[in-house]
Structures are given as C-alpha cells and as structure tokens.
Amino acid sequence: MNLDDVPALARVDQHDTARILTEFPEQCRRGHALPAPVLGGARPRLIVVAGMGGSASGGDMVAACGAETLDVPILVHRGYGLPAAAVRDALVVATSYSGDTVEVLSAADVALARRVPLVAITAGGALGALADARGLPRVALPSGLMPRMALGYLVFPLLAVLAGCGARVTSAGEVDEALEVLAAQADELAPARALEKNAAKRIALNIGDRLPAVYGGPLTATAAYRWKTDFEENAKVLAVAGAVPEMNHNEIEVWRGPAAANRHIVLLREEGESAQIARRFELIRDLATPAAGGVSETWARGTGRLARILSLAYMSLWVSFYLAMLHGIDPWPVPTLEEVKRRLASR
Ligand code: F6R
C-alpha cells in the first residue's frame, strides 16, 4: 500500500476513520465547550475515575497531567466494583462512552451503595439511564464515535468535572495551547500530507511488519500505553508499552538477542524530561539499535503537560491508522472485543 495514494486509503478505510481523526481537534474543542456539572460539597480527598479501554484512557491522561501539581490523588480504576479507598470523602467519575460497559456500571452501583459522590460521563446507554433515573450529575457526550476515537470527549469534560469540584488540573492557557497544537498536527498528519513530510506515515512504514514496542518517560509513558492499545484496536497488531526508567530494570534485556530484529522501538520524548531520563533514552537507543528491527523517536508538542500528552495521543491515532492501512485493515471495527461483550451479555 502506498500511503500517499489517498483514494486507495479510502477504499480500505471503509468507515471514514481518516475524517474522524482529521476532526479530532474540533472534537476536543467541542468537548471543552460541553456543559459540566459544578459539584457542591467538600473538595474530594480522592478521585476515582472508573472506566475501561478507550474511556479509561481519558482518565490516564488527566491523571498524568495532574501528577506534578494536583494534591488530590487520581486513581484510574479498571475493573468491577471500586477500591476500598473509595469512601464518602472521595469522588467517583464513571466514564463510559457507550454507557454500557459492565465494569463501569458495577463501579457506579458500588458508589451508590457506599454513598460516594458520583458523576457520569457518557453518551448514553445504561449509565446515562442510571444518571437520569437517579438525578446524578452527568456530562452528556455526543454519540456515534468509537470510544477510543472519542478521546477529546473523554479528556476535556473530565478536566471540567475536576475543576468543578476544586481539583483543577490545567489552566485555561494550557487548554488553549493544547487545542492549537492539535489543530496544527491535523494538517501535518492527514492523508493528503505526503510521506516525506508526514511523521505518522513514516513511523508506520518504519514499523512495517515488526512488533512495535513503545517507551515513554514519566509523563509520556501514559501515551505509550495508549499507542499500544491503538495499535491493537486499530491495526489489530500486538504491541508492548513500557516506562522509562522502569524498563531499564527488566525489558531492556530483550533488545540484544536475534529476536529483536522482528521488533521496532518507538521512543516518546518530551522537552520537559529530566537529564536523567534523556540519558536513559540515549542508552536505550545505543544498546538496542544494533539488534532491533529499528528505532523511531517522536517528540511531544507544546510546553504544557496537556498539549504534550494529547499531541502524542493524536500521533498514536494516526500512526495506528496508517499501520492498519499498510496491513489492508479497516481501523474502525473491533469485532472480537464486541463479541466478548455480546457473549457476556447473553449469559
Ligand atoms: C472501542 C474501545 C474500547 C472501549 C471499551 C469500553 O472503540 O475503545 O476500548 O472503550 O470496550 O467501552 P466504553 O468506552 O464504551 O465504556
């Protein structure tokens, strides 16, 4: 597949994912403008974001943005129920784009049973119905997207909900910067932009048939995990994600044997990383390059944490899109994970 052949891409991209991705900056703008509830009551001592898959990813990114400045811990809970620490002085944000994810519904049930303040962020489904029936504070999202492609609707309303309960993560300036950075990227990464000037196409081509291993630092490891799941859901390609420095203590061992030739490293860098982290990225590159199937590097854009993390997430959406194209795969449907949900529901 020639990634510059736009009509050929459109034939594989049967659900017009390219358009959804091109509109992603606008989606973020709309997500930022959605009305969010202002919660009364005391400032929470713990924020639990309950979500799975693409919906949990918004929680991960907000938690990473707040990690250095917010004095309230944000715990992203992926699973049934709620952790024991979620008690009445906490806030539970149930995030499910579809509103029908059973783990999130179970978390909401436990929050109600424990009388933990609960907010829903959803486009509808059973969670939307529960919020309506119980009069819960809710952010109503527009429907019609794949959850993983609705990241703008999951991140920005969550930021607003947290700001509304006294746990502000980002300033207005940081939000504006993120929106500007994403708008610039939309032009640079779109299918009409030729390979030599399109970093997302180049990374996808560098990966080719190899297994991608994505490594990030203290801020960007969250994005690395997002890259892994985007490769898996969009391109249907197994990927691994790791965090620097932790991977220096284990995973680094896999990069000098002959099997490394079948894998490709992607390093997610940012200008705010410390000298220690920068040194470790250089070491990974030096040690892995001789045996690895290749090493790519991409840098976050902007100066604020929100712009940096979202710019890497946006790059991930595009790289996984182009990798899907290279494999002749429509990135939109996820039939196997949907079958799991169907089978669970039928029991
Ligand atoms: C599918 C996707 C999945 C879902 C997950 C939870 O596009 O991204 O990872 O996000 O199955 O579903 P929701 O987000 O609807 O709660």
Side-chain angles (χ1 to χ4, degrees):
M1 163 77 79
N2 171 1
L3 292 180
D4 286 343
D5 184 343
V6 176
L9 297 184
R11 281 192 292 278
V12 177
D13 178 19
Q14 289 177 16
H15 292 78
D16 209 3
T17 297
R19 183 179 55 78
I20 303 290
L21 300 194
T22 303
E23 290 170 0
F24 180 69
E26 187 49 34
Q27 179 196 123
C28 290
R29 241 171 238 293
R30 285 197 216 113
H32 178 53
L34 284 175
V38 176
L39 308 174
R43 191 168 183 256
R45 290 171 56 126
L46 168 71
I47 293 157
V48 180
V49 180
M52 302 302 299
S55 291
S57 176
D60 283 344
M61 290 184 193
V62 169
C65 286
E68 284 191 341
T69 49
L70 187 67
D71 57 357
V72 182
I74 300 178
L75 200 151
V76 180
H77 177 70
R78 293 174 158 88
Y80 292 92
L82 281 176
V87 289
R88 285 190 200 187
D89 60 2
L91 170 72
V92 172
V93 187
T95 57
S96 168
Y97 183 73
S98 64
D100 286 324
T101 298
V102 291
E103 297 93 322
V104 181
L105 293 168
S106 137
D109 285 345
V110 173
L112 288 169
R114 285 190 205 161
R115 296 170 187 252
V116 188
L118 175 64
V119 181
I121 299 181
T122 182
L127 184 61
L130 177 76
D132 289 347
R134 298 286 195 122
L136 298 173
R138 171 190 172 184
V139 183
L141 307 179
S143 59
L145 294 171
M146 277 295 186
R148 63 192 183 280
M149 294 170 195
L151 185 64
Y153 287 138
L154 295 157
V155 166
F156 287 90
L158 179 57
L159 288 170
V161 166
L162 298 198
C165 71
R168 182 176 290 283
V169 171
T170 42
S171 66
E174 283 169 321
V175 169
D176 288 346
E177 185 204 26
L179 295 173
E180 276 165 32
V181 160
L182 294 170
Q185 274 185 302
D187 289 338
E188 293 166 21
L189 304 178
R193 182 67 67 107
L195 179 69
E196 74 266 15
K197 291 196 172 148
N198 189 320
K201 288 184 182 178
R202 282 204 309 278
I203 296 174
L205 212 58
N206 289 343
I207 294 168
D209 289 329
R210 299 180 196 90
L211 181 140
V214 190
Y215 298 124
L219 173 65
T220 62
T222 296
Y225 184 71
R226 175 70 199 207
W227 278 60
K228 166 189 158 65
T229 60
D230 278 344
F231 282 133
E232 291 165 346
E233 291 182 71
N234 297 338
K236 283 72 179 169
V237 157
L238 180 67
V240 299
V244 176
E246 174 62 17
M247 66 77 69
N248 285 172
H249 299 270
N250 32 63
E251 202 165 321
I252 191 67
E253 281 303 330
V254 308
W255 287 105
R256 295 224 267 190
N262 297 323
R263 311 183 201 120
H264 184 95
I265 291 181
V266 183
L267 301 176
L268 304 186
R269 310 287 306 270
E270 52 117 4
E271 273 156 21
E273 71 197 18
S274 67
Q276 294 105 307
I277 296 296
R279 173 81 184 116
R280 284 174 186 270
F281 274 120
E282 298 316 326
L283 276 172
I284 296 166
R285 182 186 272 284
D286 281 1
L287 292 168
T289 296
V295 181
S296 298
E297 187 169 88
T298 186
W299 286 76
R301 303 278 287 266
T303 54
R305 290 170 79 87
L306 184 65
R308 286 188 175 169
I309 205 147
L310 283 180
S311 63
L312 289 172
Y314 194 25
M315 178 66 98
S316 167
L317 282 166
W318 278 117
V319 174
S320 58
F321 170 84
Y322 291 121
L323 196 63
M325 294 298 108
L326 287 175
H327 295 322
I329 285 173
D330 180 356
W332 184 269
V334 276
T336 315
L337 80 80
E338 278 168 6
E339 187 176 338
V340 171
K341 291 183 182 186
R342 256 195 317 276
R343 288 196 191 188
L344 285 170
S346 69
R347 290 191 58 194

